[in-house]
Amino acid sequence: MSDCPPLEGRTDPGGPAGLAGLTDLPDLPDLTHLDATPRPVTGPRIARLARQLQGARDAAARDALTEAFWAEAARTGTPFVEELDDAPGHRAVTFLWRGHRATRRVLLLARGITDRDRLADSLLHHLPGTDIWYLGHRLRADHRGSYRMVADISAGAVPADPVLLQRRLLALRAHAGADPLNQDRIPARWRDAQDSVFALPAAPPQPWTGSLPSGGPSPDGPHSGSLPSGGASSAAPHSGSPQSGDRRSGGRRSRVPRDGTPRGTVERHTLAAGALGVERDVWVYLPPDAVPYRPAREPGERGGDRLPLLVLCDGDMWFGKLGLRDTVDALIADGVLPPLAVLAPDAVGTATRRLELGGRESYVSFLADEVVPWASARWPLTGRAGRTVVAGQGLGGMTALYAGLTRPERFGAVVAQSPSLWWRPGLEPGAVAPDAVGTPWLATLAAGLRDGLPAGRDGVRGAVVHFDVGLHEGALAEHAEALRAVLRARGHRVTRNLHNGGHDYACWRGFLADALVRLMGTGADASADPGAGPDIGTGTALDVDATGSQGGTGLIRSSAGCP
């Protein structure tokens, strides 16, 4: 581990070369000293409308005010995002629903905001005499998240008992869908549906997550690095939901034309997974111009002729729904990632995922001893742990951590996004351990490993570990900190990005791209064997605490060559 003192900051032109030159990205304020807890608030626009309705002379005037309000909402998009005079680092975010005579209540399901155990707190308020339902939250201005909404139009009396009301609202969740007035959406995980997404003006940019055109010229979205004073995108002055191409939501940052981006290929193969006793589909991404077939050990071939490798859990989500190919294509075209391959097995379904993912030796054996060797026999993939990353989210993040800690000779780096550190052996499938679990089981396991140090058995060094953790994920930040302390004490190089969000693909999709650039980016040490390709982390900021950063592309500075 480096003896250099931690360096913190936003961006540094002298940092990783793969991240230098991103001068067209907005210079976002550091808000980490401000309270990020969601607080109830009535936004200025709703408060003004309520006053106007009270002063209206008759029903026709009230109807006219209501129609004008909805015309504005349709024009700008929702939720409304407004500045607060007494809280400059926060915004009033107002979620809206247009009801009708049968609407009895409306429920907001927002990751990082809605408390599943107290759903009544997320019921929208009805503005009397109108069809307007609203719920406002004061959020820190770097918040990003996804949400769904649902109206209850059931017959019968509203349960007065809080327990019965909670039960009714839990059942209502199955019918929730995207916000009709918000066109920024993300596919839902296990349903054929979409969730809505909003990002406040200081949320970390996601410049590589937008979908690329299938063909033909396509204009770039707005590229301004400044934030409108109203705290919203220029295309939607009252909405925190960036329009297509917005820098925070997925617009390309590079000077490579969108329609000129070389396209990689994605294939889906079925493998006999001996370690699991079943067959599994595996998504395979190969970069543009990759060799379709070549033995992994061709005589005289140098290591640099082989592709760096990402092994990623939940391939059905990343490739089947989120379009990860577009993101990786963009990263490669922008020159911040070298051409690489991705192997991503399907998770199949909720029940199978809970049975297989977590700290399970069988699934790690499937990845390390079956998936990677199978692919290496067909494509020119690296065999070096120093150029191989394993990544996952939730239970997949737990799997990635377990793989990196127990198989460091195969996986040289780990990206653990919101890892389910509550998991421990012996839990019933589907059970979640309570937050108060003390030291995570994985931290105890890591402390007892004998080969965790860089000078471990057979010269295998410990894996580099990167965490992405949301502020609104219960005790996860505390558990990740406990594990991080153990890993650093064992000699692992560890970073953590603590961001203002929840357990959410809307956050993970941007931070996964950032983590790959950080770990595998083209700014690594050029002094390595020109044919070998650099190991992970050769020239990147891997020995410092990223807590002070907000993720996105506001990266911590490099610790290489300490001052």
Side-chain angles (χ1 to χ4, degrees), residues 267-271 280-284 342-346 366 371 374:
E267 303 173 358
R268 194 173 183 181
H269 298 266
T270 300
L271 275 67
R280 282 288 173 266
D281 284 352
V282 178
W283 300 75
V284 179
V342 183
L343 306 177
D346 273 1
F366 166 60
V371 175
W374 166 83

Side-chain angles (χ1 to χ4, degrees), residues 319-514:
F319 285 106
K321 292 191 172 186
L322 290 177
L324 183 64
R325 182 181 77 161
D326 291 339
T327 296
V328 181
D329 284 346
L331 288 162
I332 294 171
D334 283 359
V336 293
L337 271 190
L340 76 157
V342 183
L343 306 177
D346 273 1
V348 182
T350 303
T352 299
R353 192 174 187 273
R354 288 172 174 171
L355 282 172
E356 295 182 350
L357 299 188
R360 301 184 191 274
E361 181 62 34
S362 57
Y363 200 83
V364 170
S365 178
F366 166 60
L367 296 178
D369 302 326
E370 297 180 355
V371 175
V372 173
W374 166 83
S376 296
R378 287 157 176 77
W379 300 285
L381 309 183
T382 183
R384 293 163 51 184
R387 300 181 72 205
T388 305
V389 176
V390 60
Q393 299 74 36
L395 282 171
M398 185 72 173
T399 297
L401 285 166
Y402 188 81
L405 295 178
T406 61
R407 300 296 298 270
E409 78 286 352
R410 174 65 79 181
F411 305 110
V414 173
V415 177
Q417 297 188 291
S418 305
S420 299
L421 294 178
W422 49 261
W423 190 95
R424 59 175 182 258
L427 285 178
E428 290 294 324
V432 176
D435 281 344
V437 296
T439 302
W441 167 80
L442 194 61
T444 303
L445 175 72
L449 292 176
R450 300 185 60 183
D451 58 353
L453 294 172
R457 187 181 60 219
D458 299 326
V460 175
R461 70 181 186 183
V464 174
V465 178
H466 174 76
F467 292 98
D468 283 316
V469 177
L471 290 173
H472 309 295
E473 296 194 78
L476 178 57
E478 177 184 345
H479 296 163
E481 179 60 27
L483 177 57
R484 189 172 68 118
V486 171
L487 295 179
R488 294 184 70 148
R490 297 293 297 167
H492 293 272
R493 291 168 291 166
V494 186
T495 57
R496 182 184 65 167
N497 167 41
L498 194 62
H499 62 87
N500 190 6
H503 200 79
D504 200 337
Y505 277 98
C507 299
W508 298 333
R509 61 180 178 176
F511 291 126
L512 178 62
D514 291 347

Side-chain angles (χ1 to χ4, degrees), residues 68-139:
F69 175 86
W70 284 120
E72 177 186 354
R75 183 176 66 255
T76 64
T78 54
F80 281 176
V81 176
E82 301 168 284
E83 291 185 331
L84 293 167
D85 292 338
D86 59 346
H90 296 81
R91 294 293 187 273
V93 179
T94 304
F95 299 90
L96 297 167
W97 184 269
R98 188 165 197 175
H100 50 72
R101 285 179 295 178
T103 303
R104 313 187 62 213
R105 65 184 69 81
V106 181
L107 177 63
L108 170 71
L109 298 167
R111 293 184 181 273
I113 299 176
T114 298
D115 184 345
R116 176 179 174 176
D117 296 326
R118 298 173 56 90
L119 291 178
D121 292 344
S122 287
L123 286 172
L124 276 64
H125 309 294
H126 182 219
L127 198 57
T130 74
D131 57 6
I132 298 170
W133 295 74
Y134 70 94
L135 183 63
H137 286 283
R138 190 200 76 171
L139 303 177

